[in-house]
Amino acid sequence: MRKLSIGFRLTICYLALFAAAQLFFGAGMWLLLRRSLYNITDDELRGQIDDLTNFLEAQKKNASVAKLQEEVAEAYPLEHSGDYLQIYDDSDRAWIYRADFLQQHMPADGNSGVMTQARYHDYTLAGGSFRFLTQKIEVNGRVFDVQTGLPTAPIAQILVLFRRSLLMFAPLLLLGAAGGGYWLSRKALSPVDAITRTARAINATNLSDRLQKLRTGDELQRLSDTLNEMLGRIESAFIRVTQFTADASHELRAPIALIRTEAEIALRRPRGEADYREALRHILLEAERTSSLVGELLTLARADSGRESLHLVPVDLRGIVTEVGGQWQELMVVRKLTFTQLIASEDILILGDRGALQRLLAILLDNAVKYTPAPGTIEVVLETRGVSAVIRVCDSGIGIIPEEQPKIFERFYRADKARNRESGGAGLGLAIALWIVQQHQGSISVRSSPGEGSTFVVEMPLQLATGSAGSETRAGLAAR
Ligand code: ADP
């Protein structure tokens, strides 16, 4: 089942609360009004008894029952206060006065007994409701049981009127409140609709679009700002990926075109074995380059997807550097380069991935060899500095101009594109090196002057006996 909108649910909650509040308020007011009306009646009944007391006090002290009956009968029927009055002389055990109505509708026996008990009673007599005050009064040494009443029909009428008014206005008020509540919630939530509409329309072709900027200073503004920031991150990731794909296709096109041209030329006319061998050699060379390029692309693509994570275990960096250095020795001799290694005498333990560290060194040494013309020198230094293991690969090669130094770690960046195509670099080596160093919580930087050579410095946290260095976080890249 489709859920109701937040605006609608808010309105229903608001309405339910409002209705409950209205019910409690109405019931409370009704009770209060009833109480007040009864209080007024009670005051009036008390007033009547006070008047009667005064009247009886004004009579002669030893007046007989008959005299009193005569006086009261003369004075009271004329006043309304006598309509529901009865007076019983407790001392002489005789009725002094009984209003006609009471004589007709209230049995005398029953009442004379009840009189001395509770003060106020509600009775239904002759189909009408009444409120009576019963009181014992002592006047001139005589005790009277007095009971006087008032009809409560007007009270009931007022209460009915009040209830009717409440029931008539309550739905109108509720309707108004519902309309107001719905309008308010729609107004408050309308930016959410705008955000939803824009967000729905954003796809790969218009990732640069942003949600409407809100100036409400509340949660909704924070939501739209956060979503915009997220869109920004997604956009730059998307641009990176599409750029990477475009660059990769571009890089792959060149060697494939070369292989194709080489094969076409070879096949154009019959040739001798030597020509075919030469053509195949070129094709093989290009195929090897292409396959190493594909390997590099794959590494970076996996790194981007987060699937390529290194398996870090305590490794001895000394052993790795010595081993890789040894593998390059022969090539240095062929290239007429002087190769020296200055390696610390003690073990240098770091949390690392052996294969990745070998690759990192191979990238740096490969570059050093590629960009150092003979007769040059290449030096590898391994030492510790504080809590870091430091590898330096220095060469006396062509160097890098300062403006290009921060860029060489970017993907597909080549300082001298024409020259690098010849030597086979696609500009991915240092990007992979940077990723490996970052995976080791380390940093890589370069110091170089054109014509004088370059020094690449890699720093990685040492695996100390306590193991604390392994968790240290460092800047990924500090190119100088
Ligand atoms: P490539 O495969 O082109 O060598 P890298 O990412 O390894 O790609 O290097 C990027 C660029 O940095 C190179 O094209 C080169 O211009 C420059 N570079 C790297 N190492 C050196 C170095 N030792 N000496 C001079 N330039 C270097």
PDB file of all heavy atoms in Angstrom, residues 296 363-364 366-372 395 397-400 404 408-410 413-416 419-420 424-431 448 453-454 456, ligand 1:
ATOM      1  N   GLU A 296      48.690  -2.037 -16.359  1.00  0.00           N
ATOM      2  CA  GLU A 296      48.678  -0.810 -15.542  1.00  0.00           C
ATOM      3  C   GLU A 296      47.263  -0.240 -15.421  1.00  0.00           C
ATOM      4  O   GLU A 296      46.826   0.174 -14.345  1.00  0.00           O
ATOM      5  CB  GLU A 296      49.605   0.234 -16.162  1.00  0.00           C
ATOM      6  CG  GLU A 296      51.078  -0.078 -15.962  1.00  0.00           C
ATOM      7  CD  GLU A 296      51.984   0.926 -16.642  1.00  0.00           C
ATOM      8  OE1 GLU A 296      51.536   1.586 -17.598  1.00  0.00           O
ATOM      9  OE2 GLU A 296      53.155   1.035 -16.225  1.00  0.00           O
ATOM     10  N   ILE A 363      59.113   0.813 -10.630  1.00  0.00           N
ATOM     11  CA  ILE A 363      58.631   2.009 -11.346  1.00  0.00           C
ATOM     12  C   ILE A 363      59.664   3.133 -11.219  1.00  0.00           C
ATOM     13  O   ILE A 363      60.043   3.778 -12.199  1.00  0.00           O
ATOM     14  CB  ILE A 363      57.264   2.463 -10.784  1.00  0.00           C
ATOM     15  CG1 ILE A 363      56.184   1.456 -11.159  1.00  0.00           C
ATOM     16  CG2 ILE A 363      56.894   3.856 -11.277  1.00  0.00           C
ATOM     17  CD1 ILE A 363      54.856   1.659 -10.437  1.00  0.00           C
ATOM     18  N   LEU A 364      60.157   3.342  -9.979  1.00  0.00           N
ATOM     19  CA  LEU A 364      61.102   4.445  -9.752  1.00  0.00           C
ATOM     20  C   LEU A 364      62.427   4.180 -10.472  1.00  0.00           C
ATOM     21  O   LEU A 364      63.012   5.092 -11.082  1.00  0.00           O
ATOM     22  CB  LEU A 364      61.329   4.639  -8.250  1.00  0.00           C
ATOM     23  CG  LEU A 364      60.076   5.064  -7.453  1.00  0.00           C
ATOM     24  CD1 LEU A 364      60.407   5.219  -5.967  1.00  0.00           C
ATOM     25  CD2 LEU A 364      59.510   6.383  -7.984  1.00  0.00           C
ATOM     26  N   ASP A 366      62.840   2.184 -13.085  1.00  0.00           N
ATOM     27  CA  ASP A 366      62.583   2.214 -14.533  1.00  0.00           C
ATOM     28  C   ASP A 366      62.625   3.649 -15.040  1.00  0.00           C
ATOM     29  O   ASP A 366      63.253   3.948 -16.049  1.00  0.00           O
ATOM     30  CB  ASP A 366      61.205   1.579 -14.782  1.00  0.00           C
ATOM     31  CG  ASP A 366      60.904   1.502 -16.266  1.00  0.00           C
ATOM     32  OD1 ASP A 366      61.811   1.138 -17.027  1.00  0.00           O
ATOM     33  OD2 ASP A 366      59.762   1.832 -16.656  1.00  0.00           O
ATOM     34  N   ASN A 367      61.982   4.561 -14.291  1.00  0.00           N
ATOM     35  CA  ASN A 367      61.999   5.980 -14.682  1.00  0.00           C
ATOM     36  C   ASN A 367      63.422   6.527 -14.642  1.00  0.00           C
ATOM     37  O   ASN A 367      63.849   7.252 -15.545  1.00  0.00           O
ATOM     38  CB  ASN A 367      61.120   6.804 -13.743  1.00  0.00           C
ATOM     39  CG  ASN A 367      59.650   6.694 -14.119  1.00  0.00           C
ATOM     40  OD1 ASN A 367      59.326   6.207 -15.189  1.00  0.00           O
ATOM     41  ND2 ASN A 367      58.775   7.121 -13.232  1.00  0.00           N
ATOM     42  N   ALA A 368      64.127   6.181 -13.558  1.00  0.00           N
ATOM     43  CA  ALA A 368      65.497   6.689 -13.415  1.00  0.00           C
ATOM     44  C   ALA A 368      66.330   6.251 -14.625  1.00  0.00           C
ATOM     45  O   ALA A 368      67.070   7.066 -15.208  1.00  0.00           O
ATOM     46  CB  ALA A 368      66.110   6.170 -12.113  1.00  0.00           C
ATOM     47  N   VAL A 369      66.179   4.987 -15.024  1.00  0.00           N
ATOM     48  CA  VAL A 369      66.946   4.486 -16.168  1.00  0.00           C
ATOM     49  C   VAL A 369      66.483   5.179 -17.450  1.00  0.00           C
ATOM     50  O   VAL A 369      67.297   5.620 -18.254  1.00  0.00           O
ATOM     51  CB  VAL A 369      66.780   2.941 -16.280  1.00  0.00           C
ATOM     52  CG1 VAL A 369      67.382   2.439 -17.574  1.00  0.00           C
ATOM     53  CG2 VAL A 369      67.434   2.253 -15.097  1.00  0.00           C
ATOM     54  N   LYS A 370      65.153   5.315 -17.605  1.00  0.00           N
ATOM     55  CA  LYS A 370      64.607   5.908 -18.839  1.00  0.00           C
ATOM     56  C   LYS A 370      65.061   7.347 -19.034  1.00  0.00           C
ATOM     57  O   LYS A 370      65.326   7.786 -20.131  1.00  0.00           O
ATOM     58  CB  LYS A 370      63.072   5.878 -18.782  1.00  0.00           C
ATOM     59  CG  LYS A 370      62.471   4.597 -19.314  1.00  0.00           C
ATOM     60  CD  LYS A 370      60.985   4.718 -19.576  1.00  0.00           C
ATOM     61  CE  LYS A 370      60.177   5.002 -18.349  1.00  0.00           C
ATOM     62  NZ  LYS A 370      58.743   4.790 -18.514  1.00  0.00           N
ATOM     63  N   TYR A 371      65.113   8.086 -17.912  1.00  0.00           N
ATOM     64  CA  TYR A 371      65.368   9.525 -18.051  1.00  0.00           C
ATOM     65  C   TYR A 371      66.786   9.935 -17.645  1.00  0.00           C
ATOM     66  O   TYR A 371      67.034  11.083 -17.352  1.00  0.00           O
ATOM     67  CB  TYR A 371      64.321  10.317 -17.247  1.00  0.00           C
ATOM     68  CG  TYR A 371      62.911   9.961 -17.687  1.00  0.00           C
ATOM     69  CD1 TYR A 371      62.041   9.284 -16.849  1.00  0.00           C
ATOM     70  CD2 TYR A 371      62.503  10.267 -18.988  1.00  0.00           C
ATOM     71  CE1 TYR A 371      60.774   8.937 -17.271  1.00  0.00           C
ATOM     72  CE2 TYR A 371      61.239   9.913 -19.415  1.00  0.00           C
ATOM     73  CZ  TYR A 371      60.364   9.245 -18.555  1.00  0.00           C
ATOM     74  OH  TYR A 371      59.131   8.895 -19.000  1.00  0.00           O
ATOM     75  N   THR A 372      67.696   8.956 -17.613  1.00  0.00           N
ATOM     76  CA  THR A 372      69.091   9.293 -17.320  1.00  0.00           C
ATOM     77  C   THR A 372      69.973   8.810 -18.474  1.00  0.00           C
ATOM     78  O   THR A 372      70.164   7.604 -18.664  1.00  0.00           O
ATOM     79  CB  THR A 372      69.564   8.620 -16.014  1.00  0.00           C
ATOM     80  OG1 THR A 372      68.636   8.945 -14.987  1.00  0.00           O
ATOM     81  CG2 THR A 372      70.958   9.061 -15.614  1.00  0.00           C
ATOM     82  N   ASP A 395      68.766  10.132  -9.387  1.00  0.00           N
ATOM     83  CA  ASP A 395      69.470   9.943 -10.665  1.00  0.00           C
ATOM     84  C   ASP A 395      70.078  11.260 -11.107  1.00  0.00           C
ATOM     85  O   ASP A 395      69.720  12.321 -10.592  1.00  0.00           O
ATOM     86  CB  ASP A 395      68.506   9.391 -11.737  1.00  0.00           C
ATOM     87  CG  ASP A 395      67.374  10.344 -12.054  1.00  0.00           C
ATOM     88  OD1 ASP A 395      67.660  11.480 -12.483  1.00  0.00           O
ATOM     89  OD2 ASP A 395      66.186   9.971 -11.865  1.00  0.00           O
ATOM     90  N   GLY A 397      69.836  12.365 -14.131  1.00  0.00           N
ATOM     91  CA  GLY A 397      69.236  12.460 -15.463  1.00  0.00           C
ATOM     92  C   GLY A 397      68.777  13.849 -15.864  1.00  0.00           C
ATOM     93  O   GLY A 397      69.270  14.863 -15.363  1.00  0.00           O
ATOM     94  N   ILE A 398      67.759  13.863 -16.730  1.00  0.00           N
ATOM     95  CA  ILE A 398      67.340  15.125 -17.373  1.00  0.00           C
ATOM     96  C   ILE A 398      66.580  16.055 -16.431  1.00  0.00           C
ATOM     97  O   ILE A 398      66.453  17.244 -16.696  1.00  0.00           O
ATOM     98  CB  ILE A 398      66.468  14.834 -18.614  1.00  0.00           C
ATOM     99  CG1 ILE A 398      65.239  14.002 -18.206  1.00  0.00           C
ATOM    100  CG2 ILE A 398      67.262  14.118 -19.690  1.00  0.00           C
ATOM    101  CD1 ILE A 398      64.209  13.877 -19.300  1.00  0.00           C
ATOM    102  N   GLY A 399      66.071  15.509 -15.340  1.00  0.00           N
ATOM    103  CA  GLY A 399      65.345  16.328 -14.367  1.00  0.00           C
ATOM    104  C   GLY A 399      63.955  16.744 -14.859  1.00  0.00           C
ATOM    105  O   GLY A 399      63.555  16.437 -15.988  1.00  0.00           O
ATOM    106  N   ILE A 400      63.247  17.422 -13.980  1.00  0.00           N
ATOM    107  CA  ILE A 400      61.866  17.840 -14.298  1.00  0.00           C
ATOM    108  C   ILE A 400      61.726  19.304 -13.914  1.00  0.00           C
ATOM    109  O   ILE A 400      62.139  19.702 -12.813  1.00  0.00           O
ATOM    110  CB  ILE A 400      60.851  17.009 -13.477  1.00  0.00           C
ATOM    111  CG1 ILE A 400      61.129  15.516 -13.642  1.00  0.00           C
ATOM    112  CG2 ILE A 400      59.414  17.326 -13.866  1.00  0.00           C
ATOM    113  CD1 ILE A 400      60.600  14.678 -12.510  1.00  0.00           C
ATOM    114  N   GLU A 404      56.163  21.209 -13.613  1.00  0.00           N
ATOM    115  CA  GLU A 404      55.616  19.889 -13.939  1.00  0.00           C
ATOM    116  C   GLU A 404      55.714  18.912 -12.780  1.00  0.00           C
ATOM    117  O   GLU A 404      55.047  17.875 -12.787  1.00  0.00           O
ATOM    118  CB  GLU A 404      56.361  19.317 -15.144  1.00  0.00           C
ATOM    119  CG  GLU A 404      56.094  20.170 -16.363  1.00  0.00           C
ATOM    120  CD  GLU A 404      56.318  19.434 -17.654  1.00  0.00           C
ATOM    121  OE1 GLU A 404      57.366  18.796 -17.758  1.00  0.00           O
ATOM    122  OE2 GLU A 404      55.451  19.507 -18.539  1.00  0.00           O
ATOM    123  N   ILE A 408      53.359  15.202 -12.276  1.00  0.00           N
ATOM    124  CA  ILE A 408      53.837  13.909 -12.794  1.00  0.00           C
ATOM    125  C   ILE A 408      53.187  12.707 -12.097  1.00  0.00           C
ATOM    126  O   ILE A 408      53.244  11.602 -12.605  1.00  0.00           O
ATOM    127  CB  ILE A 408      55.381  13.798 -12.705  1.00  0.00           C
ATOM    128  CG1 ILE A 408      55.825  13.978 -11.260  1.00  0.00           C
ATOM    129  CG2 ILE A 408      56.055  14.763 -13.649  1.00  0.00           C
ATOM    130  CD1 ILE A 408      57.295  13.694 -11.061  1.00  0.00           C
ATOM    131  N   PHE A 409      52.520  12.946 -10.950  1.00  0.00           N
ATOM    132  CA  PHE A 409      51.860  11.821 -10.272  1.00  0.00           C
ATOM    133  C   PHE A 409      50.433  11.611 -10.801  1.00  0.00           C
ATOM    134  O   PHE A 409      49.751  10.691 -10.390  1.00  0.00           O
ATOM    135  CB  PHE A 409      51.826  12.051  -8.753  1.00  0.00           C
ATOM    136  CG  PHE A 409      53.205  12.057  -8.148  1.00  0.00           C
ATOM    137  CD1 PHE A 409      53.901  13.246  -7.979  1.00  0.00           C
ATOM    138  CD2 PHE A 409      53.806  10.871  -7.777  1.00  0.00           C
ATOM    139  CE1 PHE A 409      55.177  13.246  -7.440  1.00  0.00           C
ATOM    140  CE2 PHE A 409      55.089  10.865  -7.235  1.00  0.00           C
ATOM    141  CZ  PHE A 409      55.773  12.061  -7.069  1.00  0.00           C
ATOM    142  N   GLU A 410      50.017  12.530 -11.706  1.00  0.00           N
ATOM    143  CA  GLU A 410      48.674  12.368 -12.278  1.00  0.00           C
ATOM    144  C   GLU A 410      48.706  11.288 -13.354  1.00  0.00           C
ATOM    145  O   GLU A 410      49.735  11.066 -13.982  1.00  0.00           O
ATOM    146  CB  GLU A 410      48.211  13.690 -12.917  1.00  0.00           C
ATOM    147  CG  GLU A 410      47.924  14.766 -11.916  1.00  0.00           C
ATOM    148  CD  GLU A 410      47.715  16.123 -12.575  1.00  0.00           C
ATOM    149  OE1 GLU A 410      47.578  16.178 -13.816  1.00  0.00           O
ATOM    150  OE2 GLU A 410      47.728  17.127 -11.831  1.00  0.00           O
ATOM    151  N   TYR A 413      50.005  11.575 -17.266  1.00  0.00           N
ATOM    152  CA  TYR A 413      50.787  12.802 -17.436  1.00  0.00           C
ATOM    153  C   TYR A 413      52.218  12.449 -17.819  1.00  0.00           C
ATOM    154  O   TYR A 413      52.898  11.686 -17.131  1.00  0.00           O
ATOM    155  CB  TYR A 413      50.787  13.663 -16.165  1.00  0.00           C
ATOM    156  CG  TYR A 413      51.403  15.011 -16.440  1.00  0.00           C
ATOM    157  CD1 TYR A 413      50.648  16.020 -17.015  1.00  0.00           C
ATOM    158  CD2 TYR A 413      52.771  15.226 -16.221  1.00  0.00           C
ATOM    159  CE1 TYR A 413      51.233  17.236 -17.350  1.00  0.00           C
ATOM    160  CE2 TYR A 413      53.352  16.439 -16.560  1.00  0.00           C
ATOM    161  CZ  TYR A 413      52.569  17.440 -17.115  1.00  0.00           C
ATOM    162  OH  TYR A 413      53.153  18.633 -17.457  1.00  0.00           O
ATOM    163  N   ARG A 414      52.654  13.026 -18.916  1.00  0.00           N
ATOM    164  CA  ARG A 414      54.037  12.818 -19.353  1.00  0.00           C
ATOM    165  C   ARG A 414      54.660  14.178 -19.575  1.00  0.00           C
ATOM    166  O   ARG A 414      54.071  15.025 -20.256  1.00  0.00           O
ATOM    167  CB  ARG A 414      54.069  12.020 -20.660  1.00  0.00           C
ATOM    168  CG  ARG A 414      53.635  10.579 -20.462  1.00  0.00           C
ATOM    169  CD  ARG A 414      53.781   9.816 -21.740  1.00  0.00           C
ATOM    170  NE  ARG A 414      52.949  10.375 -22.783  1.00  0.00           N
ATOM    171  CZ  ARG A 414      52.050   9.671 -23.474  1.00  0.00           C
ATOM    172  NH1 ARG A 414      51.900   8.397 -23.223  1.00  0.00           N
ATOM    173  NH2 ARG A 414      51.356  10.237 -24.407  1.00  0.00           N
ATOM    174  N   ALA A 415      55.849  14.367 -18.996  1.00  0.00           N
ATOM    175  CA  ALA A 415      56.463  15.685 -19.085  1.00  0.00           C
ATOM    176  C   ALA A 415      56.812  16.015 -20.533  1.00  0.00           C
ATOM    177  O   ALA A 415      56.525  17.096 -21.017  1.00  0.00           O
ATOM    178  CB  ALA A 415      57.696  15.741 -18.204  1.00  0.00           C
ATOM    179  N   ASP A 416      57.402  15.072 -21.213  1.00  0.00           N
ATOM    180  CA  ASP A 416      57.766  15.314 -22.608  1.00  0.00           C
ATOM    181  C   ASP A 416      57.103  14.207 -23.426  1.00  0.00           C
ATOM    182  O   ASP A 416      57.632  13.113 -23.561  1.00  0.00           O
ATOM    183  CB  ASP A 416      59.301  15.282 -22.750  1.00  0.00           C
ATOM    184  CG  ASP A 416      59.716  15.572 -24.182  1.00  0.00           C
ATOM    185  OD1 ASP A 416      58.853  15.441 -25.087  1.00  0.00           O
ATOM    186  OD2 ASP A 416      60.891  15.907 -24.398  1.00  0.00           O
ATOM    187  N   ARG A 419      58.931  12.396 -26.469  1.00  0.00           N
ATOM    188  CA  ARG A 419      60.051  11.543 -26.057  1.00  0.00           C
ATOM    189  C   ARG A 419      59.547  10.279 -25.345  1.00  0.00           C
ATOM    190  O   ARG A 419      60.009   9.178 -25.562  1.00  0.00           O
ATOM    191  CB  ARG A 419      60.955  12.344 -25.119  1.00  0.00           C
ATOM    192  CG  ARG A 419      62.247  11.623 -24.810  1.00  0.00           C
ATOM    193  CD  ARG A 419      62.951  12.315 -23.683  1.00  0.00           C
ATOM    194  NE  ARG A 419      62.153  12.263 -22.474  1.00  0.00           N
ATOM    195  CZ  ARG A 419      62.044  13.250 -21.625  1.00  0.00           C
ATOM    196  NH1 ARG A 419      62.641  14.379 -21.848  1.00  0.00           N
ATOM    197  NH2 ARG A 419      61.326  13.115 -20.536  1.00  0.00           N
ATOM    198  N   ASN A 420      58.526  10.463 -24.531  1.00  0.00           N
ATOM    199  CA  ASN A 420      58.041   9.336 -23.739  1.00  0.00           C
ATOM    200  C   ASN A 420      57.368   8.257 -24.575  1.00  0.00           C
ATOM    201  O   ASN A 420      57.403   7.095 -24.232  1.00  0.00           O
ATOM    202  CB  ASN A 420      57.066   9.827 -22.676  1.00  0.00           C
ATOM    203  CG  ASN A 420      57.848  10.421 -21.527  1.00  0.00           C
ATOM    204  OD1 ASN A 420      59.070  10.347 -21.527  1.00  0.00           O
ATOM    205  ND2 ASN A 420      57.149  10.995 -20.587  1.00  0.00           N
ATOM    206  N   GLY A 424      58.201   4.476 -24.397  1.00  0.00           N
ATOM    207  CA  GLY A 424      57.139   3.518 -24.061  1.00  0.00           C
ATOM    208  C   GLY A 424      56.289   3.858 -22.868  1.00  0.00           C
ATOM    209  O   GLY A 424      55.336   3.156 -22.589  1.00  0.00           O
ATOM    210  N   GLY A 425      56.593   4.943 -22.160  1.00  0.00           N
ATOM    211  CA  GLY A 425      55.795   5.257 -20.967  1.00  0.00           C
ATOM    212  C   GLY A 425      54.450   5.858 -21.331  1.00  0.00           C
ATOM    213  O   GLY A 425      54.353   6.673 -22.243  1.00  0.00           O
ATOM    214  N   ALA A 426      53.401   5.452 -20.595  1.00  0.00           N
ATOM    215  CA  ALA A 426      52.066   6.006 -20.861  1.00  0.00           C
ATOM    216  C   ALA A 426      51.706   7.034 -19.805  1.00  0.00           C
ATOM    217  O   ALA A 426      50.613   7.568 -19.802  1.00  0.00           O
ATOM    218  CB  ALA A 426      51.050   4.885 -20.873  1.00  0.00           C
ATOM    219  N   GLY A 427      52.619   7.278 -18.887  1.00  0.00           N
ATOM    220  CA  GLY A 427      52.320   8.254 -17.837  1.00  0.00           C
ATOM    221  C   GLY A 427      51.509   7.668 -16.697  1.00  0.00           C
ATOM    222  O   GLY A 427      50.810   8.385 -15.981  1.00  0.00           O
ATOM    223  N   LEU A 428      51.585   6.353 -16.516  1.00  0.00           N
ATOM    224  CA  LEU A 428      50.802   5.717 -15.449  1.00  0.00           C
ATOM    225  C   LEU A 428      51.663   5.222 -14.295  1.00  0.00           C
ATOM    226  O   LEU A 428      51.166   4.961 -13.201  1.00  0.00           O
ATOM    227  CB  LEU A 428      50.015   4.525 -16.015  1.00  0.00           C
ATOM    228  CG  LEU A 428      48.904   4.868 -17.001  1.00  0.00           C
ATOM    229  CD1 LEU A 428      48.274   3.599 -17.538  1.00  0.00           C
ATOM    230  CD2 LEU A 428      47.844   5.730 -16.339  1.00  0.00           C
ATOM    231  N   GLY A 429      52.985   5.114 -14.555  1.00  0.00           N
ATOM    232  CA  GLY A 429      53.881   4.525 -13.543  1.00  0.00           C
ATOM    233  C   GLY A 429      53.788   5.227 -12.195  1.00  0.00           C
ATOM    234  O   GLY A 429      53.538   4.596 -11.159  1.00  0.00           O
ATOM    235  N   LEU A 430      53.950   6.560 -12.201  1.00  0.00           N
ATOM    236  CA  LEU A 430      53.961   7.292 -10.925  1.00  0.00           C
ATOM    237  C   LEU A 430      52.585   7.331 -10.265  1.00  0.00           C
ATOM    238  O   LEU A 430      52.485   7.410  -9.048  1.00  0.00           O
ATOM    239  CB  LEU A 430      54.508   8.710 -11.129  1.00  0.00           C
ATOM    240  CG  LEU A 430      56.031   8.765 -11.373  1.00  0.00           C
ATOM    241  CD1 LEU A 430      56.482  10.203 -11.600  1.00  0.00           C
ATOM    242  CD2 LEU A 430      56.809   8.154 -10.212  1.00  0.00           C
ATOM    243  N   ALA A 431      51.526   7.273 -11.109  1.00  0.00           N
ATOM    244  CA  ALA A 431      50.169   7.224 -10.518  1.00  0.00           C
ATOM    245  C   ALA A 431      50.009   5.921  -9.727  1.00  0.00           C
ATOM    246  O   ALA A 431      49.431   5.918  -8.623  1.00  0.00           O
ATOM    247  CB  ALA A 431      49.118   7.312 -11.615  1.00  0.00           C
ATOM    248  N   SER A 448      63.792  17.934  -7.854  1.00  0.00           N
ATOM    249  CA  SER A 448      64.460  17.816  -9.155  1.00  0.00           C
ATOM    250  C   SER A 448      64.839  19.176  -9.712  1.00  0.00           C
ATOM    251  O   SER A 448      64.177  20.174  -9.439  1.00  0.00           O
ATOM    252  CB  SER A 448      63.514  17.103 -10.124  1.00  0.00           C
ATOM    253  OG  SER A 448      64.129  16.936 -11.365  1.00  0.00           O
ATOM    254  N   GLY A 453      69.171  16.205 -12.598  1.00  0.00           N
ATOM    255  CA  GLY A 453      68.697  14.929 -12.066  1.00  0.00           C
ATOM    256  C   GLY A 453      67.507  15.077 -11.122  1.00  0.00           C
ATOM    257  O   GLY A 453      67.063  16.182 -10.834  1.00  0.00           O
ATOM    258  N   SER A 454      67.008  13.933 -10.685  1.00  0.00           N
ATOM    259  CA  SER A 454      65.812  13.930  -9.823  1.00  0.00           C
ATOM    260  C   SER A 454      66.024  12.978  -8.652  1.00  0.00           C
ATOM    261  O   SER A 454      66.761  11.995  -8.756  1.00  0.00           O
ATOM    262  CB  SER A 454      64.580  13.448 -10.590  1.00  0.00           C
ATOM    263  OG  SER A 454      64.531  14.033 -11.859  1.00  0.00           O
ATOM    264  N   PHE A 456      63.515  10.899  -6.006  1.00  0.00           N
ATOM    265  CA  PHE A 456      62.175  10.538  -5.526  1.00  0.00           C
ATOM    266  C   PHE A 456      62.313   9.987  -4.110  1.00  0.00           C
ATOM    267  O   PHE A 456      63.162   9.130  -3.857  1.00  0.00           O
ATOM    268  CB  PHE A 456      61.540   9.487  -6.449  1.00  0.00           C
ATOM    269  CG  PHE A 456      61.029  10.092  -7.720  1.00  0.00           C
ATOM    270  CD1 PHE A 456      61.888  10.298  -8.810  1.00  0.00           C
ATOM    271  CD2 PHE A 456      59.714  10.507  -7.840  1.00  0.00           C
ATOM    272  CE1 PHE A 456      61.434  10.885  -9.968  1.00  0.00           C
ATOM    273  CE2 PHE A 456      59.244  11.096  -9.000  1.00  0.00           C
ATOM    274  CZ  PHE A 456      60.104  11.289 -10.078  1.00  0.00           C
TER     275      PHE A 456
HETATM  276  P1  ADP B   1      56.052   7.227 -17.787  1.00  0.00           P
HETATM  277  O1  ADP B   1      55.552   5.888 -18.003  1.00  0.00           O
HETATM  278  O2  ADP B   1      55.774   8.181 -18.887  1.00  0.00           O
HETATM  279  O3  ADP B   1      57.424   7.268 -17.293  1.00  0.00           O
HETATM  280  P2  ADP B   1      55.414   8.020 -15.110  1.00  0.00           P
HETATM  281  O4  ADP B   1      54.105   8.243 -14.470  1.00  0.00           O
HETATM  282  O5  ADP B   1      56.289   7.023 -14.542  1.00  0.00           O
HETATM  283  O6  ADP B   1      55.102   7.772 -16.625  1.00  0.00           O
HETATM  284  O7  ADP B   1      56.145   9.400 -15.105  1.00  0.00           O
HETATM  285  C1  ADP B   1      55.444  10.562 -15.486  1.00  0.00           C
HETATM  286  C2  ADP B   1      56.389  11.588 -16.078  1.00  0.00           C
HETATM  287  O8  ADP B   1      57.265  12.043 -15.072  1.00  0.00           O
HETATM  288  C3  ADP B   1      57.292  11.023 -17.138  1.00  0.00           C
HETATM  289  O9  ADP B   1      56.669  11.094 -18.384  1.00  0.00           O
HETATM  290  C4  ADP B   1      58.499  11.898 -17.053  1.00  0.00           C
HETATM  291  O10 ADP B   1      58.319  13.038 -17.852  1.00  0.00           O
HETATM  292  C5  ADP B   1      58.553  12.339 -15.612  1.00  0.00           C
HETATM  293  N1  ADP B   1      59.559  11.548 -14.840  1.00  0.00           N
HETATM  294  C6  ADP B   1      59.331  10.512 -14.052  1.00  0.00           C
HETATM  295  N2  ADP B   1      60.465  10.063 -13.475  1.00  0.00           N
HETATM  296  C7  ADP B   1      61.435  10.871 -13.931  1.00  0.00           C
HETATM  297  C8  ADP B   1      62.839  10.922 -13.711  1.00  0.00           C
HETATM  298  N3  ADP B   1      63.482  10.070 -12.912  1.00  0.00           N
HETATM  299  N4  ADP B   1      63.527  11.891 -14.372  1.00  0.00           N
HETATM  300  C9  ADP B   1      62.893  12.770 -15.168  1.00  0.00           C
HETATM  301  N5  ADP B   1      61.574  12.772 -15.418  1.00  0.00           N
HETATM  302  C10 ADP B   1      60.846  11.819 -14.802  1.00  0.00           C
END
